[in-house]
Amino acid sequence: MTTRTAPSKRALPLAAALAAGALVLAGCSGSGSSGGAEPKTITFAFGATNDQDKAAYSGLATAFAKTHTGVTVTPQNLPAQSYPSTIGTRVQGGNAPDTFQSEGGTGQSYSIIPFAKAGQLLPLTDSAILSALPSSQKELWVYNGKAYGVPLGSNANGVIYNDDLAKSIGVDITAATSLDGIIAQCGKARAAGKTIYGLAGGATANNAFFALGLATSTVYGPDKNWNTKRAQNTVTFAGTKGWRTALESIKKMFDAGCFQDGAASAGFDALTNGASSGKILGFFAPSNAAKEIMDAAGGHVKLVILPIAAPGGTKTYLSVSADQSVSASAKTKSPQLAQEFLKYIVSKDGQEAYSQAVGTIPVTADASTKLLPQFEPVKDLIDANTVRGLPSTDWTNVKVYNDLGNGVQGILTGQLTVKQVLQQMDADWG
C-alpha cells in the first residue's frame, strides 16, 4: 500500500456511515458456466444511497465498456436499505449478479472472505490484479493466495465538519484538538443554538462507526494487532482499558451536551437536517459524505474532514480504510469479462475516476497524488502514516458490530453500562 492508505487491514463498511444500515437486493442476473464463447454482457449490482454514488458506479461501467468493443456492463442500482444481507443470500443461493459491490474481509453479511472460502466468488487469476492490491490490506481480498475482490478506493472515517460555521460562533477545532478540548467547547456551541456534533443514536451503524473511530486511537493506535490478540484470546473487550475509555468518552460527550437534543433515539435524518439547517457543526461519516453534501449545496458550503479526536494524553490516529469492494460471482457466464472489469476498477484510471466522483482516496495514490481540498486538515496525519483502519472487517461476525452500536444507545439512555456492552461483545466474538 502507498503512503496515503491505511497500514492495517481494519476497515468499516461504508453502509455504516450515512446510509441507514444494510441495503434490499432486487433481481440480478448472472449464474452458471457455459461452453463456447462467453457472453459480452455482464451485470454490475450496487446499493447506491445517493445520486453521486449511483453516477460513480455507473461511470465505472460506462468507462470500461468504452474501451472494450462490443461489451456491455449493465448497472443495477438496488434498494439501499437491505443490500448487504440480501446480497449475502443471493451469493449463497448461487444466483448472484455477475459483478457486485462487496465488503472486504470478514465480519459483515456481504464480506468477501467467507464467500471465497465457500467457493462462491470468482478467483481473480490476473497477476496485475493481485499486484495492484494495497499490500498491507491484502487480507481484505485475498484467500489462499488468490484475490476474490478489488477495492473501490480508500475513505477517511472521521468527522464531516463545517469549520467556517464553527468559527463564526467562536468554536475552534482542528485535527490536533483533543477530545477534552472539544468537550470544553460544547457549551459555547449550545449557547449559540447549535451543537458540535450530530449523532444518529437510534441507528446502530452510526453509533458503531463513532465508537470504532474513538477506538482507532484508544485501542488500535497503541496496539494495531489488537484484533489478532483477541482472536488468540489473549485480550478481551471488557478487559481492555482503551475500549472502556472509548465508550466512557461517548457518555461524557453526551452529558456535556456535545450532541443534539434527542440524539439517543435520532435517525440519519437528524444528521442531514441538522447539517443543512446549520444546527450541527459536524457528524461522523466516511469522507465521501463531504463531497456529496458540498455538491448538493452547489458550492455554497465548504466542509472539511477531521479525525475523531482522542482523549487528552492519547495520540489521535485517523481511520483510513479500503473495505468497500467489488467481486464477481463464481457462477457468472462471463468470467473473463468480469475479471477484466475488476482489473479496470483497481487500475490507476479506474481508481482516480471513482475517487474524484465520490470524494475518496485512490488506493493507487502516492505522495504526489493531489487530494481533494476537504482532506487538507488530515493531510499531515496521512503523510505521517498516523492512520489505522477500523476493526469490523476482521471481527468474527456481524453481531459484535451490531451489539456495539446497540450498546452505545443503551449507554446513552442509561439502560446499559459500559461493562455490560463490552462483555456482550466478548460473548458475541465466540
Side-chain angles (χ1 to χ4, degrees):
M1 179 178 259
T2 67
T3 58
R4 291 197 181 277
T5 48
S8 74
K9 62 184 178 179
R10 289 177 276 278
L12 179 74
L14 184 59
L18 265 190
L23 317 176
V24 150
L25 218 92
C28 296
S29 72
S31 61
S33 301
S34 60
E38 65 177 47
K40 290 191 174 184
T41 297
I42 57 172
T43 53
F44 174 36
F46 48 84
T49 59
N50 53 67
D51 290 341
Q52 171 187 285
D53 287 347
K54 180 180 178 182
Y57 286 126
S58 299
L60 287 172
T62 300
F64 173 77
K66 282 183 178 178
T67 61
H68 291 73
T69 304
V71 164
T72 300
V73 180
T74 303
Q76 295 184 343
N77 183 26
L78 306 168
Q81 288 300 315
S82 302
Y83 180 89
S85 58
T86 312
I87 195 70
T89 301
R90 292 292 300 273
V91 172
Q92 293 165 15
N95 62 335
D98 297 300
T99 62
F100 55 92
Q101 176 192 357
S102 56
E103 171 75 10
T106 62
Q108 297 294 322
S109 55
Y110 65 141
S111 292
I112 288 173
I113 302 305
F115 291 158
K117 289 181 178 179
Q120 294 159 338
L121 298 182
L122 178 72
L124 307 175
T125 57
D126 192 316
S127 60
I129 293 177
L130 193 62
S131 63
L133 298 177
S135 59
S136 62
Q137 294 189 78
K138 282 190 176 180
E139 296 92 340
L140 295 178
W141 311 283
V142 176
Y143 172 67
N144 277 350
K146 294 181 179 179
Y148 289 89
V150 298
L152 282 163
S154 294
N155 255 304
N157 304 306
V159 179
I160 308 303
Y161 188 69
N162 190 328
D163 190 46
D164 291 340
L165 178 61
K167 288 179 177 176
S168 74
I169 61 169
V171 171
D172 186 14
I173 297 173
T174 70
T177 307
S178 71
L179 187 61
D180 301 78
I182 293 171
I183 291 174
Q185 299 182 73
C186 289
K188 181 182 291 187
R190 281 275 181 174
K194 306 179 189 304
T195 55
I196 290 182
Y197 294 126
L199 178 68
T204 297
N206 198 228
N207 291 339
F209 182 90
F210 178 32
L212 291 171
L214 286 165
T216 297
S217 297
T218 62
V219 178
Y220 297 94
D223 187 0
K224 65 181 180 181
N225 297 315
W226 191 91
N227 276 3
T228 300
K229 294 177 181 179
R230 182 63 189 86
Q232 297 168 344
N233 291 319
T234 59
V235 296
T236 63
F237 289 101
T240 299
K241 181 181 178 181
W243 274 110
R244 297 194 300 271
T245 299
L247 298 192
E248 288 166 356
S249 296
I250 296 175
K251 185 62 164 61
K252 287 180 182 178
M253 296 172 72
F254 181 77
D255 292 342
C258 297
F259 308 127
Q260 83 282 7
D261 292 340
S265 59
F268 281 95
D269 59 331
L271 308 186
T272 53
N273 293 340
S276 62
S277 64
K279 296 295 185 182
I280 63 174
L281 306 182
F283 57 91
F284 312 105
S287 54
N288 62 293
K291 187 175 189 303
E292 175 191 342
I293 294 172
M294 288 191 289
D295 286 352
H300 298 295
V301 175
K302 179 184 176 183
L303 300 174
V304 297
I305 295 151
L306 294 177
I308 295 176
T314 301
K315 182 177 181 179
T316 293
Y317 282 76
L318 175 69
S319 167
V320 180
S321 58
D323 54 296
Q324 282 295 290
S325 309
V326 178
S327 296
S329 171
K331 298 288 187 178
T332 179
K333 295 178 180 178
S334 303
Q336 293 180 7
L337 180 57
Q339 181 170 223
E340 280 297 308
F341 180 46
L342 269 60
K343 181 179 177 180
Y344 168 74
I345 290 173
V346 80
S347 71
K348 189 175 188 295
D349 288 345
Q351 286 289 307
E352 291 187 355
Y354 181 82
S355 293
Q356 287 292 319
V358 301
T360 53
I361 305 170
V363 297
T364 54
D366 56 30
S368 66
T369 301
K370 185 176 181 180
L371 300 180
L372 293 170
Q374 55 264 38
F375 290 100
E376 185 60 32
V378 294
K379 183 178 181 296
D380 288 345
L381 289 174
I382 296 173
D383 287 342
N385 221 16
T386 310
V387 295
R388 294 287 187 265
L390 285 173
S392 57
T393 51
D394 56 358
W395 283 0
T396 55
N397 60 76
V398 71
K399 195 172 188 302
V400 185
Y401 172 83
N402 287 340
D403 279 339
L404 172 60
N406 291 329
V408 168
Q409 184 182 40
I411 291 169
L412 297 184
T413 60
Q415 294 175 304
L416 293 171
T417 65
V418 168
K419 182 178 180 180
Q420 287 172 326
V421 174
L422 295 176
Q423 287 177 334
Q424 181 59 54
M425 293 169 67
D426 281 320
D428 294 339
W429 189 276

